Amino acid sequence: MAMKDVPDNVFMTSLDAAASWARSNSLWPMPFATACCGIELMATASSRFDLARFGAEVMRFSPRQCDLMIVAGRVAMKMLPVLQRIWLQMPEPKWCISMGACACTGGVFDTYAVVQGVDRFIPVDLYVPGCPPRPEQLMAGIIALQDKIKNGGTLNGTEFGKRTQPTGPAPFDLDELIRIREANEKLVALN
């Protein structure tokens, strides 16, 4: 059969591309909202913003039915075992969005009781900055994650072999340590 005999409504693709396309357009989020970012997360699903346009409106509260965890807001150390347990109960393939400054870095809560970035404990695929981020920012994050899934997914899930451990913050390099020491010396000189 020559290509000229193929009808206009038929296209050819690989099985990996078809699976990645299907995965990216049928995300089922698991909300883990603990603070003000959770209100923005709820607003994203409202009729004004309509997350359903992107195929990610089916919020489930059972981890076994979800493939996308959205960590919205600060996470206290006391809640960390719950977060990790929910993450482990989600089936593969799964993705994670860290929403808001508190989930990404601890935000203004620089204390021992607040997790200073959830990426220290679970793998994070995408960060949505802001305090709190607007629904449009979360929707842009979901669209970026969909592009990432379309471009990087495989049927066998080989892309997940690299992220078996949480990434966490990288240790300071030598230049950063020198800048920190100089800043501390200036503070001491001022006092």
Side-chain angles (χ1 to χ4, degrees):
M1 176 188 270
M3 287 300 288
K4 66 180 181 179
D5 296 334
V6 177
D8 290 340
N9 60 351
V10 174
F11 69 94
M12 294 183 207
T13 185
S14 67
L15 190 56
D16 271 345
S20 297
W21 176 82
R23 284 178 182 162
S24 67
N25 290 304
S26 60
L27 293 171
W28 286 21
M30 168 81 201
F32 192 89
T34 57
C36 45
C37 288
I39 304 298
E40 299 295 329
L41 175 61
M42 286 186 270
T44 307
S46 69
S47 58
R48 181 172 181 180
F49 299 101
D50 195 15
L51 189 61
R53 293 178 289 161
F54 307 106
E57 81 280 11
V58 185
M59 298 273 181
R60 296 291 179 179
F61 296 97
S62 170
R64 292 180 177 86
Q65 298 173 340
C66 299
D67 57 0
L68 169 63
M69 175 179 271
I70 300 176
V71 182
R74 66 180 179 271
V75 178
M77 290 302 278
K78 195 172 184 179
M79 287 299 292
L80 187 59
V82 177
L83 175 70
Q84 288 179 313
R85 179 173 295 170
I86 290 172
W87 175 256
L88 291 175
Q89 287 176 343
M90 290 170 60
E92 294 282 354
K94 57 188 173 185
W95 298 272
C96 179
I97 290 178
S98 177
M99 177 182 176
C102 295
C104 295
T105 63
V108 297
F109 303 100
D110 189 13
T111 66
Y112 65 90
V114 175
V115 173
Q116 302 298 305
V118 294
D119 59 352
R120 295 176 183 212
F121 301 99
I122 62 171
V124 173
D125 294 292
L126 198 112
Y127 299 90
V128 177
C131 184
R134 298 258 320 140
E136 293 92 346
Q137 289 176 275
L138 178 60
M139 290 169 59
I142 288 174
I143 292 169
L145 182 64
Q146 286 176 328
D147 289 341
K148 186 176 181 179
I149 294 168
K150 283 178 197 166
N151 296 329
T154 62
L155 192 61
N156 297 327
T158 54
E159 68 271 19
F160 298 110
K162 298 174 188 170
R163 61 164 215 179
T164 56
Q165 298 294 321
T167 54
F172 292 125
D173 59 3
L174 186 59
D175 293 336
E176 186 71 25
L177 290 173
I178 291 171
R179 281 194 297 270
I180 291 171
R181 186 181 322 135
E182 289 173 354
N184 287 336
E185 289 171 357
K186 287 180 183 175
L187 283 175
V188 170
L190 289 174
N191 294 331

